[in-house]
Amino acid sequence: MARYSPEHKAASRKTLIGAAAELFRKHGYTGVGIDDLCAAAGLTRGAFYGHFTSKANLFTAVLRGAHDFVERLRVRPGFATRHLKKQGVQVAKDYLDPRNRAAVVAGCSLSALAADTVRADADAQAAYAQAVADVVSELTRGASGERAMTAEQARTMLALCVGGLLINNACGNNPEGERVALAARRALSRVV
């Protein structure tokens, strides 16, 4: 039996987490089986169990992974540039922009996996809570000499973004979902 290098093992784990994130966001936790996950990652069941003890364990790893919302906030210019608060509001507005919504739904585990996480174990819920804390931390980051967004404002913005997108998605093609998402987007400017 061939032994794989640590680099190969790390790469296959990363591939599996990436494939799982995409499938879980698209089909939900219960809509994806281990065979589906392995096929999408191009790995065997043996490889799956070499990295994870269960599908629930993989779900937690997905929630601990990178989150699109956090990554978009992190690429703001940084402490040397002013207007981080304004840029944070713009990232949130872009999150709910109808032109970006399909990409957000496909790439953001915070909204796509919220309902699945409610039914998940404590480890998954802790990973989700950490992602929420990371968004709040990024939104409250301020530039030197600039009044930063408060944690309360950041949490309100996050609730509007994730809640607006979740309701929009749950309504399917019903226009009421779109009206909720647009109302949430408009409300973002009034938060700060």
Side-chain angles (χ1 to χ4, degrees), residues 69 85 88-89 92 135-136 139-140 147-161 187-192:
F69 202 167
K85 181 164 49 170
V89 172
V135 170
V136 170
L139 282 170
T140 58
R147 196 177 125 251
M149 190 181 303
T150 68
E152 184 70 18
Q153 290 169 323
R155 289 182 185 106
T156 302
M157 289 184 73
L158 179 59
L160 285 166
C161 287
L188 290 170
S189 295
R190 295 190 299 270
V191 172
V192 291

Side-chain angles (χ1 to χ4, degrees), residues 49-79:
Y49 286 109
H51 294 292
F52 300 101
T53 58
S54 65
K55 185 172 86 165
N57 185 244
L58 174 58
F59 184 69
T60 300
V62 166
L63 292 172
R64 283 191 181 122
H67 290 273
D68 187 59
F69 202 167
V70 176
E71 296 307 313
R72 288 175 187 271
L73 290 166
R74 285 187 178 146
V75 298
R76 293 177 299 162
F79 288 101

Side-chain angles (χ1 to χ4, degrees), residues 82 143-147:
R82 293 189 179 268
S144 177
E146 180 182 44
R147 196 177 125 251

Side-chain angles (χ1 to χ4, degrees), residues 2 10 19 22 26 40 47 49 53 59 65 73 85 92 98 115 131 148 154 163 165 169 171 180 182 186:
E22 187 175 323
K26 186 174 183 179
Y49 286 109
T53 58
F59 184 69
L73 290 166
K85 181 164 49 170
L165 194 60
N169 295 341
C171 288
V180 168
L182 291 174
R186 285 189 302 272

Side-chain angles (χ1 to χ4, degrees), residues 14-151:
K14 184 177 178 179
T15 299
L16 188 53
I17 292 171
E22 187 175 323
L23 289 174
F24 287 149
R25 286 191 298 261
K26 186 174 183 179
H27 303 290
Y29 177 79
T30 59
V32 180
I34 291 175
D35 289 337
D36 302 319
L37 295 164
C38 292
L43 299 171
T44 65
R45 272 185 166 261
F48 174 89
Y49 286 109
H51 294 292
F52 300 101
T53 58
S54 65
K55 185 172 86 165
N57 185 244
L58 174 58
F59 184 69
T60 300
V62 166
L63 292 172
R64 283 191 181 122
H67 290 273
D68 187 59
F69 202 167
V70 176
E71 296 307 313
R72 288 175 187 271
L73 290 166
R74 285 187 178 146
V75 298
R76 293 177 299 162
F79 288 101
T81 306
R82 293 189 179 268
H83 309 299
L84 286 179
K85 181 164 49 170
K86 183 178 177 181
Q87 292 169 19
V89 172
Q90 189 58 52
V91 168
K93 283 183 172 183
D94 290 346
Y95 187 91
L96 288 170
D97 188 316
R99 294 170 297 191
N100 298 334
R101 216 170 284 142
V104 171
V105 169
C108 183
S109 295
L110 285 173
S111 63
L113 300 179
D116 288 317
T117 306
V118 169
R119 295 171 193 84
D121 62 22
D123 288 341
Q125 291 173 352
Y128 189 93
Q130 183 58 56
V132 167
D134 290 345
V135 170
V136 170
S137 177
E138 280 300 314
L139 282 170
T140 58
R141 183 165 53 107
S144 177
E146 180 182 44
R147 196 177 125 251
M149 190 181 303
T150 68

